[in-house]
Amino acid sequence: MHDDHPDNPHAPVARDHPMTEFERRVDAVQTLLIEKGLITADQVRRRVEEMDSRSPTLGAKVIARAWVDPAFKARLLADAKAAIAELGIEFTQEAALVAVENTQKVHHVVVCTLCSCYPRGLLGYPPDWYKSLNYRSRVVVDPRGVLKEFGTEPPPDVEVRVLDSTADMRYLVIPARPAGTEGTSEAELAELVTRDSMIGVAQARTPALR
Amino acid sequence: MSARFKAGDRVKVRLGSPPRHFRTPTYIQGKIGTVERLHGTYRNPESLAHGGDGLPKQPLYRVRFAQPHVWGKYPGPPRDQLLIDIYEHWLEPA
Amino acid sequence: MSRVHDRGGRPGAGPVDKSEHDLSWWEKRTDAIAMLLMSPQKRVMRVDELRRAIESMEPAAYEKSKYYERWLHAVETIMVEKGVLTREEIERKVKELAARR
């Protein structure tokens, strides 16, 4: 991505900084695993490419469809892996994908307090803050305080539900469809869906703020 | 392995800090909640984490807890909930 | 007292730092190596083992390590544990690659 050439792990590469200890170790471990025939450099490169192809844009497509098609939303809530496959998206994780819906009465927000479980097979790499110790510590005990830091303030009569994904489930939040989008096209709706709204720390954008 | 609990059942999370990998956070141990749904049965990560085969598979539930019950000083409204996935061997009837 | 990775409700945590960085090629590569080893096609290790190795880090090291430094540490730990690699050959290879460049 930045400064290196993935194809040949032995090739000298141009860098604008000396190798860090971490970089040397990654290189050493990869080289040894290749020498032992467990992985190939090509597999590593393809795996990185595969992850780079995963992004919140895919998730946004799923959410926009759920907003315009109630039957699809019902299928998404019942079996998310099968539902996204209808849109040609393969969930590339072994874990199950589970969708939960935010409404005018309920607001879900997702965390993994023990680790960093995330629906990366759909949304790509998790953001740094999701993996951070402060987020993992605080969002379970003070979700509204953390949500406020993200500019999200569910009214007191909304039930805030924190989802701590400790096991084999990866949670996708279906954010509430913004008001005033009745005539908005599916493609335009997808542009309102942010990564953070699919984690539950934010609402979907409103058209005016797009 | 057939599931011991069903949606709506009241359950108590067992206490424990075994010197190995486990998936039940300390903050939820000893708390009483309500089974929301059975996700299915999965290989036991506490065995897989130590090179085991994870068998027999364990039923996995999503359990709902009232936030003010989980935290003595929960700062939000009492209606707020905490949902967490817990394997059956960490649950007992409440 | 909960273990170092068991963060939920831990007192003393401050505001969430919302700044983000694009993963470096090295971080992506660490991710890819671990994912390959854990893939159903290879199953050289399990994600549960990766997690266990991360959780077994010295608490101070866990706290100060970057995310993928923990992952790399865990990959090394599990590969050594399974007899795939030895500590000596990893350290030798690190030195060898450093000298070559």
Side-chain angles (χ1 to χ4, degrees):
Chain A
M1 187 105 205
H2 292 297
D3 57 353
D4 203 318
H5 203 269
D7 298 314
N8 180 354
H10 303 290
V13 289
R15 266 182 302 275
D16 54 5
H17 66 92
M19 270 182 121
T20 64
E21 170 69 13
F22 169 69
E23 292 169 354
R24 272 197 297 272
R25 298 194 79 82
V26 179
D27 228 9
V29 169
Q30 176 172 333
T31 304
L32 286 168
L33 291 172
I34 290 171
E35 286 172 5
K36 290 175 191 289
L38 286 169
I39 59 174
T40 67
D42 192 50
Q43 287 170 343
V44 173
R45 186 184 52 77
R46 277 190 279 124
R47 190 53 72 133
V48 171
E49 276 182 355
E50 159 59 30
M51 265 313 286
D52 281 341
S53 76
R54 303 279 138 183
S55 80
T57 313
L58 286 179
K61 200 171 139 183
V62 174
I63 303 304
R65 175 63 58 87
W67 282 347
V68 299
D69 182 347
F72 176 79
K73 183 163 80 184
R75 293 198 295 280
L76 183 64
L77 289 165
D79 183 349
K81 235 179 209 181
I84 71 170
E86 293 176 31
L87 304 184
I89 304 168
E90 186 201 356
F91 187 64
T92 53
Q93 270 174 289
E94 275 186 83
L97 180 65
V98 178
V100 293
E101 185 182 12
N102 283 354
T103 66
Q104 301 311 311
K105 291 181 176 164
V106 174
H107 185 98
H108 295 88
V109 56
V110 182
V111 64
C112 174
T113 60
L114 296 177
C115 178
S116 55
C117 301
Y118 185 76
R120 48 185 282 153
L122 179 66
L123 303 183
Y125 299 106
D128 288 334
W129 58 258
Y130 184 84
K131 304 182 284 190
S132 73
L133 302 184
N134 284 352
Y135 181 75
R136 287 164 51 197
S137 298
R138 281 183 55 229
V139 77
V140 278
V141 60
D142 183 18
R144 289 173 186 264
V146 171
L147 289 174
K148 195 172 178 183
E149 291 174 19
F150 283 84
T152 306
E153 296 186 63
D157 62 335
V158 168
E159 180 180 308
V160 169
R161 293 182 183 167
V162 178
L163 268 163
D164 189 354
S165 60
T166 52
D168 297 82
M169 307 291 131
R170 298 294 171 268
Y171 287 99
L172 172 71
V173 175
I174 308 174
R177 180 170 173 167
T181 57
E182 290 72 19
T184 310
S185 74
E186 190 176 330
E188 286 172 322
L189 286 171
E191 291 176 28
L192 305 177
V193 183
T194 61
R195 176 196 66 200
D196 291 3
S197 72
M198 291 182 280
I199 301 172
V201 292
Q203 313 281 8
R205 293 185 188 125
T206 55
L209 296 173
R210 200 166 78 200
Chain B
M1 181 166 182
S2 65
R4 183 179 179 193
F5 304 109
K6 59 181 189 307
D9 285 355
R10 301 270 289 164
V11 288
K12 184 174 185 181
V13 185
R14 294 179 195 275
L15 302 174
S17 187
R20 54 184 169 84
H21 178 76
F22 59 97
R23 295 287 182 90
T24 308
T26 307
Y27 76 82
I28 208 66
Q29 294 184 11
K31 307 299 179 188
I32 294 172
T34 306
V35 171
E36 198 176 70
R37 78 176 217 174
L38 169 67
H39 288 302
T41 60
Y42 292 86
R43 284 178 189 256
N44 184 354
E46 300 176 6
S47 155
L48 294 174
H50 297 271
D53 61 9
L55 300 175
K57 287 187 175 180
Q58 278 291 322
L60 175 67
Y61 303 91
R62 186 155 80 220
V63 187
R64 185 174 71 237
F65 299 84
Q67 282 280 35
H69 168 65
V70 179
W71 314 102
K73 293 177 183 164
Y74 182 68
R79 65 166 50 82
D80 288 355
Q81 304 283 314
L82 188 127
L83 311 178
I84 178 167
D85 297 328
I86 305 180
Y87 292 93
E88 184 170 283
H89 61 285
W90 277 92
L91 298 174
E92 59 188 47
Chain C
M1 182 63 193
S2 64
R3 304 219 311 257
V4 66
H5 68 283
D6 188 357
R7 305 307 289 197
R10 187 173 289 242
V16 177
D17 177 357
K18 294 188 288 296
S19 61
E20 299 180 26
H21 85 291
D22 289 333
L23 295 184
S24 72
W25 164 241
W26 303 94
E27 290 170 309
K28 290 183 177 187
R29 211 153 116 182
T30 304
D31 188 281
I33 292 166
M35 288 294 165
L36 278 170
L37 294 173
M38 298 187 296
S39 67
Q41 295 78 25
K42 298 195 185 283
R43 276 285 189 257
V44 180
M45 61 187 281
R46 289 264 183 182
V47 65
D48 315 272
E49 293 175 300
L50 179 92
R51 288 177 63 161
R52 188 250 304 162
I54 290 173
E55 293 161 9
S56 306
M57 290 174 73
E58 284 296 320
Y62 180 99
E63 303 254 3
K64 77 171 200 301
S65 295
K66 292 183 182 149
Y67 187 73
Y68 283 109
E69 289 171 350
R70 290 183 209 140
W71 275 47
L72 183 64
H73 165 85
V75 168
E76 288 182 32
T77 303
I78 301 295
M79 289 302 98
V80 169
E81 195 178 287
K82 289 183 183 291
V84 172
L85 305 178
T86 66
R87 284 275 162 225
E88 296 67 32
E89 70 184 335
I90 296 172
E91 300 310 329
R92 207 183 314 129
K93 187 62 82 177
V94 168
K95 284 203 185 84
E96 187 188 311
L97 292 174
R100 190 185 298 179
R101 293 174 174 186

